[in-house]
Amino acid sequence: MPKVLRILNRLNIGGPTYNVAYLSRYMNAAYQTQLLAGIKEPHEGSSEYMLKDLGVTFQYVPDMFRRINPINDARAYRHISKEIGNYQPDIVHTHAAKAGVLGRLAAYHAANRPKAIVHTYHGNVFDGYFSPFKTKVFLAIERYLCGLSNAIVAISEKQKDDLVNKYGIASASKVHVIRLGFDLEKFAELDEQKRLTFRNYYRITDDEAVITITGRLTAIKNHALLIKAVKIFRDENPLVKFKVFIVGDGELLDEIADMARNMGFSYCMPNEQNYDAQIIFTSWRKDIDVINAGSDIIALTSLNEGTPVSIIEALASGKGVLCTDVGGVKDVVKDGVTGMLSDLSAEMYAQQLQKLILNPERLQQMADAGKQFALQNYAYQRLVKETEELYKYLLS
């Protein structure tokens, strides 16, 4: 029975945890899997529940954190090396940046090196995160690590093109595209009761449009763009009623709330119940299917994005989506067909938002097409099948 050691950056809410959860739970019984995970940041929502709900066991790597710290990273490396020595895996599969560095180094230098070392990129840290100098350093590190790897997994064709052609990190023959997969059943349910529950709780009237954005409140997610765009929309359409829900938490919570206040919006913080406010901050929520059901438009404003999980869930929910045209978003959203795309200007984002809100029939057409696309292309069964095929290839 081949052994797989799967190593994840950290257990925060997002695509990587979904990926490792479904692979660990539903991988063919012919494979034995062990999962190691790093520690989430204090302001991030925990994704432990995703693993526990699926009955997936895991162990923490005590000193593996997102931030670079030579002492912690050395301890985490030793811990991973010890686990590799004890478990003797045939495949070490790392997910996201920190796990990819420490896990691949530990696997390559193990006394009994695994037959295959695999790494999945769940986004990229080469655009919008660091200074040009740091980016060059990280690119050099990634090129070295890809040389130690037997296979690289990209989660979209756009990401593969970036890795191969834009950044020159790996050869095309080494990079395999395996899109993320999710359990979309609860999102796809046509449950009017979910919509009523959400809208009644927040006192939303039938003639109010609900715009929702889900994600960490951090610079790369660019929530400021949404605040600026809805202000433009409000000023140009004073009679249109709407609410904005900001789902998530992060270091920029107070800054975003201050921006909303300065632009004349009433707002409700996570520990308040001022539901008559125009902008409502909910913090992290597990019932995203209920929130999506009660929403009309799901927004994404990121400066960079790998595969946008919140948008895939929104499409499966049959909702209109409006996204910035960055990273791998275009692999998920076809402009004017399954949703709307915008550049990074607040003016264009507001224009696209207006098209969606003021043309409900067109919005519904795109929502219907988006739902069909998401269910056909992002089910977890395909993710598991394609990963099994990659493992079989590598072990042969």
Side-chain angles (χ1 to χ4, degrees), residues 5 10 16 101 143 148 199 213 239 268 327 339 344 376 386:
L5 178 63
R10 63 197 192 279
V101 173
R143 291 181 186 119
L148 309 184
R199 294 178 78 93
I213 185 168
L239 299 181
C268 174
L344 291 168
Q376 288 177 348
E386 292 178 3

Side-chain angles (χ1 to χ4, degrees), residues 55-129:
V56 175
T57 59
F58 63 94
Q59 300 175 32
Y60 277 114
V61 178
D63 295 289
M64 188 160 74
F65 300 93
R66 180 172 179 262
R67 296 182 184 278
I68 297 172
N69 180 297
I71 295 175
N72 287 337
D73 292 344
R75 289 172 179 166
Y77 174 83
R78 288 195 294 270
H79 185 97
I80 293 169
S81 296
K82 182 179 178 181
E83 291 299 322
I84 291 174
N86 292 337
Y87 186 53
Q88 297 290 301
D90 298 283
I91 298 172
V92 169
H93 190 160
T94 59
H95 296 259
K98 178 62 74 73
V101 173
L102 301 181
R104 282 185 283 178
L105 285 173
Y108 186 80
H109 293 291
N112 187 7
R113 186 183 300 168
K115 297 175 182 176
I117 300 172
V118 184
H119 178 66
T120 295
Y121 285 90
H122 286 276
N124 79 64
V125 297
F126 313 127
D127 285 330
Y129 282 92

Side-chain angles (χ1 to χ4, degrees), residues 121-179:
Y121 285 90
H122 286 276
N124 79 64
V125 297
F126 313 127
D127 285 330
Y129 282 92
F130 302 108
S131 67
F133 175 74
K134 285 186 177 180
T135 297
K136 287 182 179 179
V137 171
F138 289 134
L139 283 171
I141 292 171
E142 287 298 327
R143 291 181 186 119
Y144 171 74
L145 292 169
C146 283
L148 309 184
S149 309
N150 299 95
I152 299 298
V153 175
I155 57 177
S156 70
E157 291 290 347
K158 174 64 167 62
Q159 188 181 60
K160 177 176 180 177
D161 182 64
D162 284 349
L163 293 172
V164 174
N165 299 313
K166 184 175 181 179
Y167 302 115
I169 288 174
S171 64
S173 61
K174 187 175 279 190
V175 182
H176 305 259
V177 177
I178 301 179
R179 297 187 305 277

Side-chain angles (χ1 to χ4, degrees), residues 138-266:
F138 289 134
L139 283 171
I141 292 171
E142 287 298 327
R143 291 181 186 119
Y144 171 74
L145 292 169
C146 283
L148 309 184
S149 309
N150 299 95
I152 299 298
V153 175
I155 57 177
S156 70
E157 291 290 347
K158 174 64 167 62
Q159 188 181 60
K160 177 176 180 177
D161 182 64
D162 284 349
L163 293 172
V164 174
N165 299 313
K166 184 175 181 179
Y167 302 115
I169 288 174
S171 64
S173 61
K174 187 175 279 190
V175 182
H176 305 259
V177 177
I178 301 179
R179 297 187 305 277
L180 296 181
F182 307 93
D183 185 353
L184 298 174
E185 183 177 346
K186 68 178 180 179
F187 295 98
E189 294 172 346
L190 295 174
D191 190 348
E192 185 62 26
Q193 187 56 49
K194 287 182 181 179
R195 183 173 176 85
L196 291 174
T197 297
F198 178 81
R199 294 178 78 93
N200 288 341
Y201 181 82
Y202 285 105
R203 302 196 288 270
I204 301 167
T205 59
D206 291 341
D207 60 344
E208 280 185 292
V210 172
I211 307 154
T212 297
I213 185 168
T214 300
R216 283 187 300 135
L217 274 61
T218 191
I220 200 71
K221 297 299 183 181
N222 195 25
H223 287 74
L225 174 61
L226 181 61
I227 304 299
K228 294 174 183 176
V230 294
K231 179 185 184 301
I232 294 171
F233 174 80
R234 179 196 64 188
D235 293 347
E236 294 181 354
N237 302 273
L239 299 181
V240 177
K241 298 171 66 177
F242 67 89
K243 285 185 186 293
V244 176
F245 283 81
I246 298 179
V247 182
D249 207 338
E251 66 271 18
L252 296 185
L253 172 60
D254 292 336
E255 182 178 315
I256 296 167
D258 286 344
M259 173 179 284
R261 182 185 66 249
N262 292 335
M263 291 190 174
F265 290 106
S266 57

